[in-house]
Each structure stands twice: as C-alpha cells, then as structure tokens.
Amino acid sequence: MTKHRVAIFGVLDSLSGRLVELLNRLNKYEICLFISVKNIPNLDVQFEHSIRPHNRTEFPIENTIFGIEIFIGYDYLQKLRESQIESCFVLEDDQVLRSQIAETLNRAKVTMLSYIDPSTVLGGKNQLGPGTIIFPNCYLGYKTDTEVGSVIQPGSLIEHHSVVGNFVNINPRLTTGGFVKIEDFAQINISVEIVNRIVIGRHSVIGAGSLVLENCDPQSLYYGRPAVFVRSISQTS
C-alpha cells in the first residue's frame, strides 16, 4: 500500500510526538518532514530530562526529531513543493500562529489534514472543520460541530448542539452540557466543567479544574468553582 506523504507543523513531543504515534498505528501516512516556523531554541537536553519524570521526551537535535528533518522558517511552501508534499497536519501550540499557517496553506491549496482518533464517539450529524485534531477517548454529542484548526485532547466530552470555534485549544477531560459555544482562540485547561447554554468568549482562558456556570467574556481569564473573572488577557489577533 502506498502511504500518503505528509508534513507536520510543530515539534513538541507532547503534541506532535503523540500524533506521530497515533498516525503510525494507522499505517497510511509517511511523515516526511517537520516544520517549525519560528527558530528552535538551543536546549540543554540533559537538564530538560532532569526536570521530567523520565528521560524519554524527544527534543529537536541538529534540526531533526524522531529521525526526521525539521525545516525552520517561513518559506515552508517552497520546501513542501520541493518535497512533493501536498498535505499537512498543523499542531503548532500557538493558536494565532496555527491560524496564520492555515491561511497560508489554504491560499497555496495545500490541504490541512484532520485527525479524528478511531476511539472518538460522534453522536451523529456532526460537522468537523478542516485541521481538527481529536485525540483518543473523546465524545462529541449529536450535532456538535468544530470549525477550523482546533485541538481536542483526550477524554473530553462535549455534549449535543455545541460548537467549538476556530483554533481552540481544549486540554484533557473537558465536560460540557448541551448548547455550549467555545469561541475562536479560546483555551480550556485540564478538567474543566461547563454547564449547558454557556458561551466562552474569543481568546478567553478557563483555568484548570474550573466549573463554569455563567458566560465568559472575551480576552479574559476565569478560574475557580464556580469560575470567576480573574483578569483581562491581551491578544494579537
């Protein structure tokens, strides 16, 4: 079987590394290239391992990771053409940068791929936008949709008639009621609960373990049980 040649934007082991493992299980993709738009800082790998539970976290070394080349810079379209790669997964953790990459790929007619883990349960009549990444053991209820380029981490349960907007980051174990709207560029941290009919504003952040009982304003940090406004957040898009 001929595998589909792809590139992955992003070099974090905690995001791209996990996707590599999941893609390898499917045995249908050949990962030919990693791309980091921004320069990669020089890391003391020995120190980085010393502050983690074990020494198996992968870091870029000499512009490679997982034994595959990393292209660094904004001229990635030319590199994709030279490498005969016509589709990519975009896993930059910076949501604004992810949106800029998506716009550039769209203009160049390079496909931004989605990954929906086979363990994901869809309630029916879902519409999932391009570039959606859903990690294992998630549930999207009936008529729950995603827009473009959002990342949903393991164990999240998003109930019926809800919408996840563009370039949203959802960390593990989000639970929502129905009719919830998570607007563009919002970030939901680990183990958040959101009751039904709530709007999470654009560029807002919900702190870990929060219980959201009321709408959250854009560009704001909320935290607590119940979640309360903490401070405003500056943003660039």
Side-chain angles (χ1 to χ4, degrees), residues 15-126:
L15 277 177
S16 297
R18 292 159 63 198
L19 182 62
V20 168
E21 178 65 20
L22 295 168
L23 293 177
N24 285 341
R25 296 177 190 180
L26 296 178
N27 199 34
K28 60 187 288 189
Y29 296 101
E30 179 185 357
I31 302 166
C32 302
L33 183 69
F34 285 89
I35 299 172
S36 177
V37 175
K38 295 182 177 180
N39 287 333
I40 298 171
N42 292 322
L43 296 175
D44 182 336
V45 174
Q46 185 174 355
F47 171 76
E48 295 295 331
H49 285 154
S50 74
I51 60 175
R52 289 168 169 79
H54 53 62
N55 63 358
R56 294 190 292 116
T57 301
E58 297 271 358
F59 296 99
I61 297 175
E62 296 181 353
N63 291 348
T64 65
I65 193 166
F66 313 114
I68 298 171
E69 177 189 357
I70 302 171
F71 175 81
I72 300 172
Y74 283 88
D75 193 20
Y76 50 80
L77 289 178
Q78 181 176 343
K79 180 65 175 180
L80 290 172
R81 295 188 191 101
E82 291 172 355
S83 303
Q84 298 182 316
I85 296 171
E86 297 180 348
S87 49
C88 306
F89 294 96
V90 182
L91 265 175
E92 285 284 358
D93 60 327
D94 181 318
Q95 295 150 277
V96 173
L97 180 56
R98 197 155 78 229
S99 72
Q100 293 167 349
I101 293 167
E103 183 178 354
T104 300
L105 295 179
N106 184 56
R107 287 199 306 265
K109 302 189 184 316
V110 177
T111 301
M112 186 167 66
L113 295 168
S114 295
Y115 173 81
I116 314 301
D117 192 80
S119 64
T120 298
V121 176
L122 300 176
K125 298 188 177 179
N126 306 86

Side-chain angles (χ1 to χ4, degrees), residues 135-152:
F135 282 99
N137 301 318
C138 292
Y139 170 79
L140 271 63
Y142 174 68
K143 291 187 178 177
T144 285
D145 301 333
T146 68
E147 295 183 350
V148 177
S150 288
V151 177
I152 303 176

Side-chain angles (χ1 to χ4, degrees), residues 187-226:
Q187 175 161 313
I188 313 296
N189 287 315
I190 191 169
S191 297
V192 166
E193 297 174 84
I194 303 173
V195 301
N196 61 312
R197 300 182 184 275
I198 292 291
V199 176
I200 306 295
R202 179 182 172 94
H203 284 281
S204 60
V205 176
I206 310 300
S210 293
L211 171 62
V212 182
L213 302 178
E214 297 180 348
N215 291 347
C216 296
D217 292 335
Q219 297 172 229
S220 300
L221 170 64
Y222 287 80
Y223 175 72
R225 299 185 67 84

Side-chain angles (χ1 to χ4, degrees), residues 135-139 153-157 172-175:
F135 282 99
N137 301 318
C138 292
Y139 170 79
Q153 299 266 11
S156 292
L157 186 157
R173 296 197 304 276
L174 167 66
T175 301

